[in-house]
Amino acid sequence: MFKARIQIIGINPYVLLPAKVLTAIFRAAGKDKGKIPVKMTIDGHAFTQTLVRYSGQWRLYLNTPMRKAAGKETGETATFTVKFNPEKKKYLAPHPKLVKALKQNPKAKKIFEHIAPSLRMEIIKYISYLKTDESIDRNVTKAIHFLMGKGRFVGRETLKL
């Protein structure tokens, strides 16, 4: 357990971890490079997060739900616990209608498989959270068009092929 002041870089609030905590995480993770999944608490509120090295420092970024749960903002001090999270991340499966549409369009499927994983997951999440068949169908079509470089999707400009 440690106390830290919430700092900000650009628009991203974060805290720096004490050397002792970092050493324990590196030992448990078996690495000190790349992204490291962690379990954490901020003033007793539990979350999972990823510890990343940026601009020469290991940072634990704090998103809005985390800060709101603890009632903390940048510049304020909070109490944290952080430890390595050995659990494998569970990924959301694509909606069956998206899978079907990708099978029907091999070119879009190939593009989908080669775009950045974060963009791929953004598309999957967006479609998976829709409620009606009509909105799912409409947005699967938009996603295919987006992948083919023919329109916007999830607030993104046309994909450059």
Side-chain angles (χ1 to χ4, degrees):
M1 187 178 309
F2 63 95
K3 288 186 182 277
R5 186 175 68 81
I6 301 171
Q7 302 177 56
I8 192 162
I9 186 166
I11 61 168
N12 301 304
Y14 70 95
V15 293
L16 297 175
L17 280 60
K20 188 169 121 177
V21 174
L22 278 173
T23 300
I25 291 170
F26 296 157
R27 190 176 318 115
K31 66 179 188 172
D32 62 359
K33 293 182 180 169
K35 297 177 180 179
I36 300 176
V38 295
K39 289 183 179 184
M40 59 163 288
T41 64
I42 175 171
D43 285 350
H45 301 275
F47 299 95
T48 58
Q49 185 58 296
T50 303
L51 183 63
V52 295
R53 186 172 174 94
Y54 177 75
S55 196
Q57 296 179 304
W58 284 94
R59 299 170 194 262
L60 181 63
Y61 288 98
L62 307 173
N63 61 33
T64 301
M66 292 173 181
R67 295 188 325 277
K68 282 190 177 191
K72 299 290 181 172
E73 288 303 326
T74 56
E76 296 181 324
T77 300
T79 302
F80 295 87
T81 62
V82 183
K83 65 181 182 176
F84 173 63
N85 182 4
E87 297 170 13
K88 295 290 182 197
K89 190 171 185 176
K90 295 176 185 159
Y91 291 97
L92 184 62
H95 192 283
K97 288 186 176 187
L98 177 60
V99 171
K100 181 179 178 184
L102 290 169
K103 280 183 184 175
Q104 292 172 344
N105 190 325
K107 185 176 178 187
K109 182 178 181 183
K110 185 175 183 181
I111 293 166
F112 183 74
E113 291 170 348
H114 289 91
I115 59 175
S118 59
L119 178 55
R120 195 167 44 243
M121 187 52 63
E122 189 175 343
I123 293 168
I124 290 169
K125 281 182 180 179
Y126 187 86
I127 292 170
S128 294
Y129 293 140
L130 297 171
K131 302 287 185 217
T132 67
D133 283 337
E134 179 184 313
S135 63
I136 293 166
D137 292 342
R138 183 177 60 249
N139 283 282
V140 165
T141 300
K142 282 183 180 181
I144 297 298
H145 287 154
F146 172 74
L147 292 167
M148 300 300 294
K150 297 177 182 174
R152 296 171 44 105
F153 188 68
V154 293
R156 293 185 177 265
E157 293 300 321
T158 302
L159 191 61
K160 304 287 188 228
L161 302 175

